[in-house]
Amino acid sequence: WLHKQLLIYSPICVVTSPFLCIYSRIKSMFYHAYNSYLDNAFPYDELRPLTCDGQDTWGSFSLTLIDALDTLLVLGNQTEFQRVATLLQDTVDFDIDVNASVFETNIRVVGGLLSAHLLSGRAGLEREIGWPCAGPLLRMAEDAARKLLPAFQTASGMPYGTVNLLHGVSPTETPVTCTAGVGTFILEFATLSRLTGDAVFENVARRALRALWHTRSDIGLVGNHIDIMSKKWVAQDAGIGAGIDSYFEYLVKGAIMLQDEELLDMFLDYDRAIQNYTRFDDWYLWVQMHKGTVSMPVFQSLEAFWPGLQSLLGNLDSAVRTFQNYYSVWRQFGGLPEFYSIPQGYTVDKREGYPLRPELIESAMYLFRATGDHTYLQFGLDVLESIEKITKTPCGYASVKDLRDHQLDNRMESFFLAETIKYLYLLFDPAHFLHGGEDEGAGSWEEGGEGGQCVLGAGGFIFNTEAHPLDPAALHCCSRHTQERQELHDLLLSLSQPAKPGAGRAPPPPPLKQTEAPPLSQSESIALKPGERKAAPVLSCPVQPFSARLSVLGQVFSDDT
């Protein structure tokens, strides 16, 4: 199939390896954009590709470089990853008098630094003792996140949308923020808490989520903008697109990463209302949150993450049909307009642009992995051709101001390097280590934690909403694993303590339940003093030693599991 398609797009590719040719084209796209940023825009946040200069947009901390760091490793460039990681440590300072978006700083800066920290071993960086629970990039992520904490100091627990990195929240800051700006923190903040041991980050993220949950309407929907002080909805349009999207995304991905039933239950309740009130012919419209009546019969490009999210929950039939609707829009324009009128089948006035967004590519990546359907590879080739032909400039790739005539805009957002190119590359590389692929065999995992007793990087990475991959095994290594080791230590220590004088003989142990392990043999016992009785064990351990690295991560199970 791929040979036939490449005869159309790139005939020379069929002579060599088709996939290597595609990888090469995607890498060339990345480096044209990346090098243009370094040459023309660094240390500004973003590149302006039409005028070949830079601008600060989200906080004045070289945002594109932070956002692109883990993509360097995804594409296999360890040398540049090492150089940039060191450069960021030397040049980025969050103690600056700048008003920053709490939402954007979290997903791009905190998320990017956390991902780079977790991938730093694979990139060949020297790791501190105790990694992934310590390291310079982790400390940078924690520093950035602490600058955001003042925004959460509200009566409702819902954060302000903007914070000054030096002075905190301005007394004149508006209390109105979007739904996603309240509910898009649990991935990064829970990761921080579990890596560092400081629970404050996860606590504020959960408090915000629960506060938002209690504001839903009687029919189970949330609006678009809320007053965080009064908890009243200011914009009452309910949907899955702009202003709401990543809230739903983080409930699902948070439930997976943290194995958290509360988050999953929240999403499933929302999903029932979404399917009941907003879904029409596998499109998702905007409705009034209290009545369920249609308020905007439009498709927004930010909604294109939804088929991928549905695939994570196993709802493939619905996901495939919705993806086909969205793909039809792409074929019509060579990109997804920000707003698309479903009844009219055309763009919406003043919403005709395409800022090189990644959401539909992300959905294609998930759906190809779930189905193996080459339709998604065809879409990937269409994306590659569209971006190259429509948006490429001498100094990078430009956002499309108007898809009707392909007029360009003088901006290249950092997510083009962080998400769009990354997802496109991973779509064509199902054996990549981020997918838990087999290319690297036994070398695909790493050891970490105290004494190297944690298995990391073996698969199951969760992408935040800026496509920064987070490893759930690292969270376990630094939190639950440490807790289990301490519990085991305390229990074994208590078993080895001599009985108190005069305490009398211990009563005989009760009959073992089927789930209990038999008593340890004498050869397995902890050293006891002569005449000392050994209490019945309360733990059973995996038979495999720690050297069998994938033996349930070396966890110890209590007798009631």
Side-chain angles (χ1 to χ4, degrees):
W1 174 87
L2 193 57
H3 278 75
K4 292 180 180 178
Q5 300 305 309
L6 289 173
L7 279 170
I8 301 172
Y9 291 107
S10 300
I12 193 172
C13 287
V14 300
V15 179
T16 57
S17 167
F19 278 107
L20 287 178
C21 183
I22 292 173
Y23 300 155
S24 177
R25 289 185 65 189
I26 297 172
K27 287 183 178 180
S28 294
M29 178 185 290
F30 173 84
Y31 286 113
H32 177 62
Y34 178 78
N35 291 331
S36 293
Y37 168 78
L38 289 180
D39 293 342
N40 300 287
F42 178 79
Y44 291 104
D45 281 340
E46 291 179 358
L47 169 69
R48 298 204 304 171
L50 301 184
T51 52
C52 298
D53 56 13
Q55 64 179 343
D56 282 332
T57 51
W58 295 112
S60 187
F61 24 64
S62 304
L63 184 61
T64 293
L65 207 55
I66 295 175
D67 234 359
L69 181 53
D70 56 16
T71 308
L72 288 166
L73 187 64
V74 170
L75 301 183
N77 193 338
Q78 296 183 343
T79 302
E80 182 66 1
F81 181 100
Q82 294 172 12
R83 185 189 76 84
V84 173
T86 302
L87 176 66
L88 291 174
Q89 294 171 48
D90 293 339
T91 60
V92 174
D93 182 9
F94 299 115
D95 288 319
I96 51 178
D97 188 5
V98 167
N99 293 323
S101 164
V102 180
F103 170 85
E104 298 290 352
T105 303
N106 176 57
I107 66 171
R108 303 194 196 206
V109 177
V110 178
L113 291 170
L114 284 173
S115 175
H117 163 71
L118 294 173
L119 297 175
S120 59
R122 192 179 295 272
L125 284 177
E126 183 177 351
R127 295 174 294 187
E128 291 186 4
I129 296 174
W131 178 90
C133 315
L137 294 174
L138 175 60
R139 287 190 288 274
M140 285 185 69
E142 182 180 5
D143 185 22
R146 288 197 184 280
K147 296 294 185 179
L148 307 181
L149 288 180
F152 290 83
Q153 296 172 2
T154 62
S156 67
M158 293 186 279
Y160 284 99
T162 303
V163 66
N164 184 282
L165 298 182
L166 193 62
H167 304 297
V169 178
S170 168
T172 60
E173 176 63 25
T174 176
V176 176
T177 192
C178 68
T179 306
V182 174
T184 309
F185 295 92
I186 191 64
L187 291 183
E188 298 84 3
F189 277 29
T191 297
L192 263 178
S193 284
R194 300 192 185 198
L195 295 183
T196 65
D198 189 340
V200 65
F201 301 106
E202 184 170 349
N203 288 345
V204 298
R206 285 188 180 276
R207 186 178 177 223
L209 282 176
R210 288 168 181 152
L212 198 54
W213 169 251
H214 291 302
T215 65
R216 67 195 188 283
S217 70
D218 291 340
I219 61 174
L221 296 172
V222 288
N224 194 272
H225 280 74
I226 191 169
D227 186 314
I228 63 169
M229 304 307 289
S230 66
K231 295 187 281 189
K232 302 295 184 183
W233 287 101
V234 176
Q236 298 187 2
D237 295 305
I240 60 170
I244 303 178
D245 48 357
S246 54
Y247 170 44
F248 295 142
E249 178 186 0
Y250 272 41
L251 290 178
V252 174
K253 291 182 176 179
I256 297 171
M257 186 177 79
L258 304 174
Q259 295 293 286
D260 192 304
E261 291 186 11
E262 179 189 11
L263 301 182
L264 182 59
D265 288 343
M266 285 180 180
F267 177 80
L268 292 177
D269 276 357
Y270 281 130
D271 193 41
R272 281 188 285 272
I274 289 167
Q275 301 301 326
N276 191 31
Y277 292 101
T278 76
R279 181 180 171 185
F280 294 88
D281 293 331
D282 299 304
W283 296 95
Y284 291 85
L285 313 184
W286 288 82
V287 302
Q288 210 283 337
M289 65 177 289
H290 296 290
K291 301 175 182 178
T293 54
V294 175
S295 59
M296 289 192 297
V298 300
F299 157 60
Q300 298 180 355
S301 61
L302 284 170
E303 297 172 15
F305 81 101
W306 189 259
L309 195 69
Q310 290 286 294
S311 75
L312 291 177
L313 295 164
N315 302 328
L316 284 180
D317 289 342
S318 173
V320 166
R321 292 193 299 270
T322 299
F323 181 91
Q324 288 298 336
N325 284 342
Y326 299 168
Y327 188 9
S328 70
V329 178
W330 183 285
R331 288 195 295 263
Q332 185 177 350
F333 297 101
L336 290 184
E338 294 287 68
F339 281 31
Y340 177 84
S341 171
I342 296 168
Q344 297 175 1
Y346 207 64
T347 60
V348 174
D349 186 41
K350 298 182 180 179
R351 294 291 189 275
E352 303 92 350
Y354 169 58
L356 305 176
R357 291 198 187 279
E359 283 77 16
L360 194 57
I361 310 171
E362 176 188 10
S363 285
M365 180 194 74
Y366 284 123
L367 285 169
F368 179 64
R369 285 180 50 74
T371 67
D373 189 336
H374 287 173
T375 297
Y376 305 107
L377 298 184
Q378 174 67 66
F379 167 72
L381 288 174
D382 288 348
V383 170
L384 192 55
E385 290 297 314
S386 292
I387 293 176
E388 284 284 357
K389 291 182 177 179
I390 299 172
T391 75
K392 188 174 183 180
T393 75
C395 291
Y397 294 86
S399 299
V400 182
K401 186 175 183 179
D402 192 330
L403 277 170
R404 296 172 300 177
D405 58 10
H406 295 167
Q407 180 184 352
L408 299 181
D409 195 11
N410 194 19
R411 187 174 185 185
M412 187 183 81
E413 291 234 31
S414 68
F415 58 64
F416 178 66
L417 295 177
E419 300 185 76
T420 306
I421 292 180
K422 184 185 296 163
Y423 282 135
L424 190 58
Y425 187 84
L426 292 174
L427 167 62
F428 287 101
D429 190 5
H432 197 278
F433 76 85
L434 286 176
H435 294 316
E438 300 176 357
D439 274 4
E440 300 181 24
S444 62
W445 53 266
E446 304 173 89
E447 63 180 35
E450 183 181 351
Q453 296 188 18
C454 296
V455 176
L456 305 173
F461 286 89
I462 300 296
F463 293 92
N464 86 335
T465 199
E466 192 77 3
H468 295 305
L470 303 172
D471 186 0
L475 279 64
H476 174 87
C477 177
C478 299
S479 58
R480 183 61 189 161
H481 181 74
T482 301
Q483 181 181 343
E484 287 169 352
R485 286 173 57 84
Q486 186 60 47
E487 290 173 356
L488 177 61
H489 175 272
D490 293 342
L491 279 166
L492 296 180
L493 187 63
S494 68
L495 295 177
S496 66
Q497 295 298 323
K500 294 181 180 179
R505 290 178 64 87
L512 287 175
K513 299 178 183 178
Q514 285 188 341
T515 56
E516 293 180 331
L520 296 172
S521 66
Q522 185 62 39
S523 63
E524 297 172 282
S525 65
I526 295 176
L528 301 175
K529 294 183 178 179
E532 191 175 16
R533 282 185 64 87
K534 184 163 147 34
V538 296
L539 294 177
S540 60
C541 298
V543 175
Q544 299 152 299
F546 278 113
S547 59
R549 287 293 178 179
L550 295 180
S551 60
V552 206
L553 302 183
Q555 295 162 311
V556 177
F557 298 93
S558 61
D559 59 5
D560 61 351
T561 58

